[in-house]
Amino acid sequence: MRHGDLGRSQLGDGLPRAGDDPDAIRRQHLLRVRGRSVAWIPPLLVLVSILLVDWYTAGEFRTVSWIVLVPGIAAAICGVRGTAVFAVLGLATYVLADHAWPRQYQTGLPDFILVGVGGALAVLACAVRVRGERRMLHMRDVAETTRRTLLRPLPPGWGGLDHAAVYLAADAVARVGGDFYDIQPGPHGTRALVGDVQGKGLGAVEAAAALLGTFREAGYHERELATVAARLEIRIHRHGLHLAALDPEDDDRIDRFATAVLLSFPAAEPDTVEVVNFGHEPPLVVGPFGVRSLPPGHGLPLGLGELAHMDGPPPTLRISLAAGETLLVVTDGVTEARDGAGVFYPLKSRVTEGVSADPRLAEPSRLVAYVRDGTLRHSGGHLADDTTIFAVRRL
């Protein structure tokens, strides 16, 4: 997607995103032609229509006071200055149009006051609306910066890997949640991490950020993948201790854990991939000739190892990938997506069907787009949880 990072750059741009204010964004696109604003056209057409109706109807049926609607329409789609212009223009037009009729048909002072007060209120309402939209856009920028810091963009071919990823946040405001992924090249090969923090909200984001920070350092420096895994377990335990010191009563944040899949592509072994599974859905190996699941592994989620008195990290699984095979890792936003009848999305069978019909579907970018579209169709576009789809293979 997006070149190698479907999640934010390419594939994701066509997806529904959470932080956008639909009304504000829609106005920006629909009320501009060739880069120029045309927001002034609707209120102007309304003003002209009111004048024509008023002119061609009998004196007993005057519509000139309807001009009060014009600044109200402008307040919804124009800026403050544009709304003020229509408020003044509407008031002036009212005076001229009303005095063009014989005195017995003039609406007089009451409607003049109505149009004047309506224009002033419209300007005030527009100022409030514009201020709210600016605040919304600022918060969206903050959320986007947070998202790019947590889920940093990955260059094409990063670490010698052909990769693609899509991330869809269930939180329509935050645009970021507890799912995380990253690729870290290093002197001992390239490592990748995909995971899902239990729970939602800022607490999940904090835990994901802590794990990603540790992975980026340990994944680069440590020779053994088991050591990287141990560092991740220690990090989430320390994170819990820190939260407990801040607020001992907040059990939801203190007891947070994360499922994850840790991958390593050793530089000296081009056909081998090492996998450590922390209680996550087993990855799928997708190739032109079929799909297979990796063993589930025996690791507990990160944060639960100490509670189970585990001695060291989960075992490291070594697998061989044939040419053209891709590792597909998803979070439970995919596997737990339900249709209207409550049926879960059948990931493996759908991918198997897709590869049978088109062997090129094993390419990471195609695979991620296929799973993304299938998940959204299956769930009717309503995702109950953060959703990450990550595909990777050696170049």
Side-chain angles (χ1 to χ4, degrees):
M1 155 186 212
R2 311 174 148 156
H3 16 315
D5 181 16
L6 290 178
R8 290 177 293 278
S9 359
Q10 272 178 20
L11 297 181
D13 288 343
L15 300 173
R17 292 240 228 170
D20 299 341
D21 174 349
D23 293 332
I25 302 304
R26 194 174 296 119
R27 278 195 297 272
Q28 292 177 12
H29 290 287
L30 296 184
L31 298 179
R32 286 186 175 275
V33 175
R34 296 182 180 180
R36 294 182 177 274
S37 173
V38 293
W40 52 273
I41 293 180
L44 182 61
L45 290 177
V46 172
L47 177 62
V48 173
S49 299
I50 291 173
L51 289 177
L52 291 175
V53 171
D54 185 70
W55 182 258
Y56 287 104
T57 55
E60 292 80 4
F61 184 75
R62 298 294 312 281
T63 62
V64 67
S65 58
W66 295 4
I67 288 178
V68 71
L69 299 174
V70 173
I73 295 173
I77 58 178
C78 297
V80 177
R81 291 183 180 179
T83 302
V85 168
F86 276 107
V88 174
L89 179 62
L91 191 61
T93 302
Y94 168 84
V95 172
L96 294 176
D98 196 41
H99 282 76
W101 284 83
R103 186 174 185 84
Q104 66 269 27
Y105 296 124
Q106 293 180 7
T107 57
L109 182 61
D111 285 356
F112 174 83
I113 295 175
L114 174 66
V115 173
V117 172
L121 292 177
V123 174
L124 178 61
C126 181
V128 173
R129 189 212 86 213
V130 169
R131 182 178 180 181
E133 288 183 353
R134 287 176 178 171
R135 180 177 178 82
M136 178 276 299
L137 292 173
H138 175 70
M139 294 303 297
R140 190 183 64 175
D141 290 342
V142 171
E144 179 67 14
T145 300
T146 302
R147 185 172 69 86
R148 290 177 64 86
T149 300
L150 184 65
L151 301 177
R152 61 181 180 176
L154 300 175
W158 183 237
L161 301 180
D162 182 8
H163 61 87
V166 162
Y167 173 74
L168 302 175
D171 188 333
V173 176
R175 305 185 71 184
V176 67
D179 285 9
F180 56 91
Y181 64 86
D182 200 7
I183 296 174
Q184 181 57 61
H188 310 296
T190 299
R191 275 72 185 262
L193 178 67
V194 183
D196 178 9
V197 176
Q198 166 264 338
K200 300 179 181 179
L202 293 179
V205 175
E206 292 174 355
L211 289 171
L212 282 174
T214 297
F215 166 73
R216 289 163 184 167
E217 290 303 307
Y220 179 88
H221 291 287
E222 301 296 343
R223 179 180 298 275
E224 301 296 332
L225 189 64
T227 306
V228 180
R231 292 276 298 275
L232 291 172
E233 180 66 45
I234 294 171
R235 183 65 184 92
I236 198 165
H237 176 63
R238 292 173 49 209
H239 181 68
L241 294 176
H242 175 253
L243 295 179
L246 288 175
D247 186 358
E249 304 300 324
D250 192 352
D251 293 334
D252 289 340
R253 296 176 67 187
I254 295 171
D255 298 334
R256 204 173 293 276
F257 60 87
T259 64
V261 173
L262 179 61
L263 306 172
S264 179
F265 297 83
E269 302 175 76
D271 298 328
T272 300
V273 177
E274 297 177 334
V275 182
V276 178
N277 191 327
F278 294 95
H280 198 82
E281 184 77 16
L284 295 180
V285 178
V286 182
F289 305 106
V291 179
R292 70 181 192 272
S293 298
L294 294 185
H298 305 288
L300 292 176
L302 290 163
L304 299 183
E306 184 174 286
L307 298 178
H309 305 290
M310 288 187 60
D311 185 16
T316 299
L317 173 67
R318 293 172 60 86
I319 65 170
S320 296
L321 289 186
E325 287 189 323
T326 297
L327 278 173
L328 173 66
V329 187
V330 302
T331 59
D332 55 12
V334 174
T335 56
E336 296 182 4
R338 298 172 184 260
D339 62 11
V343 177
F344 291 115
Y345 178 63
L347 174 65
K348 185 176 181 179
S349 62
R350 292 291 173 82
V351 173
T352 301
E353 293 171 3
V355 171
S356 298
D358 182 7
R360 294 181 302 168
L361 195 66
E363 299 173 9
S365 60
R366 292 174 178 268
L367 182 59
V368 165
Y370 178 82
V371 175
R372 177 203 65 184
D373 294 344
T375 302
L376 290 175
R377 281 196 301 269
H378 184 81
S379 64
H382 303 293
L383 299 175
D385 200 355
D386 296 333
T387 300
T388 294
I389 309 164
F390 182 87
V392 64
R393 68 182 180 186
R394 292 183 188 269
L395 285 172

